[in-house]
Amino acid sequence: MNTHVPMGPGKEFDAVRALLAQWGSAAQGVGDDGAILDVPTGSRLVVSTDSTVEDVHFRRTWLSAEEVGWRATQAALSDLAAMGAAPLGVLLALTVPAPWRVELAGLAEGIAAATRTVGAPIVGGDVTDGDRLALTITVLGHASRPTSRAGARVGDTLYVTGRLGGPGAALAAWEAGALPRPAHRLRFARPAARVAAGQWLAAHGVTAAIDLSDGLAGDVAHLAAASGVRCVIDLGAIPCVAEVSVAEALASGEEYELLVAAPALDARAFAAAHEGLDLTAIGRVESGSGEVRAEREGRPATMPVTHDHFAG
Amino acid sequence: MNTHVPMGPGKEFDAVRALLAQWGSAAQGVGDDGAILDVPTGSRLVVSTDSTVEDVHFRRTWLSAEEVGWRATQAALSDLAAMGAAPLGVLLALTVPAPWRVELAGLAEGIAAATRTVGAPIVGGDVTDGDRLALTITVLGHASRPTSRAGARVGDTLYVTGRLGGPGAALAAWEAGALPRPAHRLRFARPAARVAAGQWLAAHGVTAAIDLSDGLAGDVAHLAAASGVRCVIDLGAIPCVAEVSVAEALASGEEYELLVAAPALDARAFAAAHEGLDLTAIGRVESGSGEVRAEREGRPATMPVTHDHFAG
């Protein structure tokens, strides 16, 4: 059921009515002051909000409107994936400048397509004028025991999902005025939040998890700091996409893959449950106080410098 | 307890650490991929997201940074008030252009002061670069039976809280290049979401509620459309602030007062429970199909034209 609350007259509400007509069953119960959701008994609510801003996170010439909507939504959903949460719903706050209004249907289609992949209805939102496109997406989910960044234990193994470096390589190509390789571009333009994987991992003994939004080097530092441990990364074990170096893979942000710590995980069973998605052991957790060390073939190595920008 | 999850190094995270230090107990459990909240058993989750954008909702010269933060937060909380929900927490997505960075502490103080008035901790957020200040605030609350816009019944009386017209009068003065009267300016700069009032009203038989963000004339049309009824407004009964006409009060948006329908409410008991806040009967609900009618001294009257802008 996607019964919405009827709205009164007004141009703004005509825009909302048009979006609801386009979304069909992807939107549910929109039109009241607040959306109403039910968190299953015994579950905790998990929420996160994430902004994607034109010229901060992407440039207009890089992506179609549909890709902008898809990518922003998957980026937000990725936080639920990290927490091992099942999605309940999505709230949108869109700032749409005049030149983007003709693209609103494309944006809306990308957003809805992304929410459909995880079965999370669009339950509310806000459309505002402005001079730069911005999508702030709030995701709501639930989990009986949400996975934190803070639970890694000494002796755990560190794993990542997927293969890294694609988004960073695409970004580097665009910034150099070149066209990225299609496979790299696709990883930037069409990321997939690892929502089902996050729930599988939570059910299989993961002690800590974080999504790779800042890049592996930065995010492993967050996990180490949060857990109060030392993380040791085997540089030779990092799974990279084709034509990307380990240093580039470590610095590549907006991957939306997961980094997890666990006593032991069955990578084959994981792949079988997730259409062949890789789960690769890349290091271990030692006693420490929030630091990260790199090694290669069992010997200490230097960790490449990480990407750091204000926007995150 | 306001235990946050420690974060790794990075300029962006230094900014977050500074905010958390400033907020103290106003922020709780920040630093994981998602925030975790518990919805009391038997309660439903109520969520809403609301954006405030510079030069769309306010101009920089009108408000202090602290007032911008306060106003944006109260505007978002107002949706919980309308639903009769008790606040659980607040998520922030801030787009902060370079000229505003020196004002970040002021913005943060206004946001925290507003959340403290309702006892809702800041549980997470996102800070992004951009060229126009924007605050997207997501509010989470709970209610056993949230109040919808859609429940008004034939025979109900319509009531509004407070006195209307202040924000519209302040806006009109600024747009004419004048200084607003201090009382009008205060209603624009320092609105108060009627959160406690909304819960009181829900507990006293209210059948439908909406917050006055578009202005009484626009919002009564939403309530009528949502409930599938005719709303009749007595123009002579509308409570106006000093120096404001009924037409101006009807068109004044961003009031953040509540319009409710109920069989009967005790305005004196309401005022006693809410520091003298007015609750005024302004009309009635009749059989109809979403329309609004005005009358004055029992005779049909013309409803003044409403304010309508894209931003809402």
Side-chain angles (χ1 to χ4, degrees), chain A residues 58-87:
Chain A
F58 70 94
R59 292 196 196 281
R60 188 163 186 180
T61 51
W62 298 351
L63 300 175
S64 71
E66 196 267 342
E67 287 169 340
V68 171
W70 170 278
R71 186 174 177 278
T73 308
Q74 295 286 359
L77 288 167
S78 181
D79 287 323
L80 294 185
M83 306 287 287

Side-chain angles (χ1 to χ4, degrees), chain B:
Chain B
M1 59 113 207
N2 58 327
T3 46
H4 304 299
V5 177
M7 287 166 280
K11 239 193 324 173
E12 181 194 354
F13 310 106
D14 291 341
V16 176
R17 276 183 278 262
L19 285 173
L20 294 179
Q22 182 187 341
W23 279 330
S25 63
Q28 290 180 11
V30 172
D32 227 315
D33 284 321
I36 301 171
L37 293 169
D38 291 307
V39 178
T41 306
S43 271
R44 309 191 74 184
L45 173 66
V46 178
V47 290
S48 178
T49 197
D50 195 77
S51 293
T52 294
V53 180
E54 186 179 357
D55 292 334
V56 174
H57 297 97
F58 70 94
R59 292 195 196 280
R60 189 164 186 179
T61 50
W62 298 351
L63 300 176
S64 70
E66 196 266 344
E67 286 169 342
V68 171
W70 169 278
R71 186 173 177 279
T73 309
Q74 295 286 0
L77 288 167
S78 181
D79 287 323
L80 293 185
M83 306 286 289
L88 281 170
V90 171
L91 291 166
L92 310 173
L94 309 179
T95 300
V96 184
W100 274 97
R101 292 211 198 131
V102 293
E103 305 272 25
L104 191 54
L107 287 168
E109 186 43 44
I111 294 166
T115 64
R116 281 192 199 102
T117 62
V118 298
I122 298 162
V123 295
D126 188 43
V127 180
T128 310
D129 201 4
D131 47 15
R132 206 190 274 208
L133 185 73
L135 300 87
T136 297
I137 302 186
T138 301
V139 291
L140 302 115
H142 69 95
S144 54
R145 284 182 302 125
T147 314
S148 163
R149 303 174 174 185
R153 288 185 216 138
V154 173
D156 282 348
T157 298
L158 296 168
Y159 299 85
V160 287
T161 62
R163 308 204 138 255
L164 310 182
L171 212 49
W174 277 314
E175 288 182 344
L179 280 182
R181 291 171 184 276
H184 295 171
R185 184 190 177 284
L186 211 60
R187 287 283 302 145
F188 183 91
R190 306 276 307 180
R194 301 304 185 192
V195 171
Q199 292 173 71
W200 188 98
L201 291 163
H204 285 79
V206 158
T207 57
I210 187 169
D211 78 320
L212 299 185
S213 47
D214 296 325
L216 177 58
D219 289 313
V220 72
H222 291 312
L223 190 141
S227 295
V229 296
R230 167 183 293 176
C231 289
V232 182
I233 300 292
D234 177 0
L235 298 180
I238 294 171
C240 305
V241 298
E243 311 286 342
V244 158
S245 71
V246 168
E248 288 164 337
L250 274 160
S252 174
E254 286 130 20
E255 288 281 350
Y256 306 120
E257 297 294 348
L258 300 179
L259 167 68
V260 302
L265 292 170
D266 181 344
R268 198 168 297 185
F270 176 87
H274 300 100
E275 297 173 344
L277 183 64
D278 289 318
L279 182 71
T280 310
I282 60 159
R284 63 184 185 277
V285 178
E286 295 184 346
S287 173
S289 51
E291 67 275 24
V292 177
R293 295 285 179 272
E295 59 178 40
R296 190 183 280 277
E297 293 169 8
R299 289 187 190 174
T302 306
M303 182 75 80
V305 177
T306 76
H307 169 71
D308 180 25
H309 59 120
F310 178 75

Side-chain angles (χ1 to χ4, degrees), chain A residues 151-190:
Chain A
R153 289 185 216 137
V154 174
D156 281 350
T157 299
L158 296 168
Y159 299 85
V160 288
T161 62
R163 308 202 139 257
L164 310 182
L171 213 47
W174 276 314
E175 287 182 346
L179 280 183
R181 291 170 184 275
H184 295 171
R185 183 190 177 283
L186 211 60
R187 287 284 301 144
F188 183 91
R190 305 276 307 181

Side-chain angles (χ1 to χ4, degrees), chain A residues 36-41 45 88 142, chain B residues 39 42-46 143-144 146:
Chain A
I36 301 172
L37 293 169
D38 291 306
V39 178
T41 306
L45 173 66
L88 281 170
H142 70 95
Chain B
V39 178
S43 271
R44 309 191 74 184
L45 173 66
V46 178
S144 54

